[in-house]
Amino acid sequence: MLTQKQNGKYILGVNINTNYPADEELARTEITDLYSTFSEYADYYTINWGSIAPEILSSVLIAVADKKKQIGKPIFLKLPADVPIEKLGDIISFARQHHIDGFIATGPSQDRSLLIHSSQAEVTHVGAGGISGLPIIYKSIEVVRYLSAHAPKEMLIIGAGGVMTPAEATSMLNAGAHLVQIYSAFIYEGPFVVKRIAEACK
């Protein structure tokens, strides 16, 4: 697939992470190696906020920024659905400092109260893990709306998390997202959901 991408017309984002989220030197090496390795194929990269220890994230992003000067592929921070709104101002400042090109909002939530159609026994039985899909749409929209109002205009905002139908995609765009990503919708609606959403949001 990646080899075919060279002649493809679609945009490919690559999410990069490290096996050593608390080790500054190893995390820096792994992330920069991944950035370089996939640069032939990737149109942009994603780094998940919270997947690397906060005390070393700055160092990692400085190293990636040096690679970016040579390669030029943009980098986005993907924020979790549970990010406190009052922290977003600091996150925007941090992103500007490290030459981040935009945000993806949002990833999964750990908030089990969002599973309103499941009993507590069912939720307990499923066990730990992130919640994605429709239950997180309102959290995602709230984050997108804040970013749209406060992030620099040159930063791209990709709305994600809970987009299942044209209605959610429209809500994301109305909140200020420049682009929309879908994940769970593929599972429940199949690949043709992309066409339905795109046609409805023209």
Side-chain angles (χ1 to χ4, degrees):
M1 177 182 173
L2 289 178
T3 304
Q4 294 172 349
K5 171 62 179 69
Q6 291 176 291
N7 299 316
K9 296 182 179 179
Y10 57 88
I11 295 173
L12 177 66
V14 176
N15 193 314
I16 54 178
N17 208 336
T18 176
N19 293 310
Y20 306 96
D23 186 307
E24 182 175 341
E25 183 176 351
L26 289 175
R28 191 169 55 230
T29 298
E30 281 201 325
I31 294 292
T32 53
D33 283 351
L34 288 169
Y35 184 90
S36 299
T37 299
F38 289 102
S39 61
E40 184 179 354
Y41 311 105
D43 294 296
Y44 70 91
Y45 289 89
T46 302
I47 294 177
N48 291 339
W49 180 266
S51 65
I52 300 173
E55 60 270 19
I56 69 170
L57 179 58
S58 182
S59 173
V60 170
L61 292 180
I62 288 171
V64 176
D66 286 338
K67 289 287 185 182
K68 185 180 169 187
K69 291 176 183 176
Q70 307 164 25
I71 297 171
K73 299 296 177 72
I75 302 168
F76 292 81
L77 282 182
K78 186 169 186 178
L79 305 179
D82 299 330
V83 62
I85 295 297
E86 61 270 19
K87 297 288 187 182
L88 287 176
D90 290 339
I91 291 174
I92 291 171
S93 297
F94 179 86
R96 292 184 65 183
Q97 176 187 350
H98 292 287
H99 309 288
I100 297 298
D101 297 279
F103 298 96
I104 301 176
T106 64
S109 169
Q110 300 297 321
D111 184 358
R112 299 311 230 210
S113 69
L114 298 173
L115 300 176
I116 59 175
H117 298 295
S118 302
S119 68
Q120 185 57 52
E122 289 173 321
V123 172
T124 302
H125 177 72
V126 168
I131 298 168
S132 57
L134 194 58
I136 69 171
I137 184 64
Y138 296 112
K139 286 193 172 195
S140 299
I141 288 175
E142 187 178 13
V143 175
V144 166
R145 185 174 288 115
Y146 185 98
L147 294 172
S148 177
H150 296 91
K153 297 306 178 186
E154 64 271 18
M155 281 188 167
L156 193 72
I157 300 170
I158 301 176
V163 179
M164 305 293 292
T165 69
E168 290 86 45
T170 299
S171 295
M172 278 290 192
L173 295 172
N174 289 340
H178 301 105
L179 298 170
V180 174
Q181 279 186 356
I182 60 173
Y183 292 93
S184 299
F186 281 117
I187 298 172
Y188 295 100
E189 302 292 334
F192 291 107
V193 68
V194 176
K195 183 177 180 180
R196 289 199 297 272
I197 290 176
E199 290 179 344
C201 294
K202 286 182 179 177

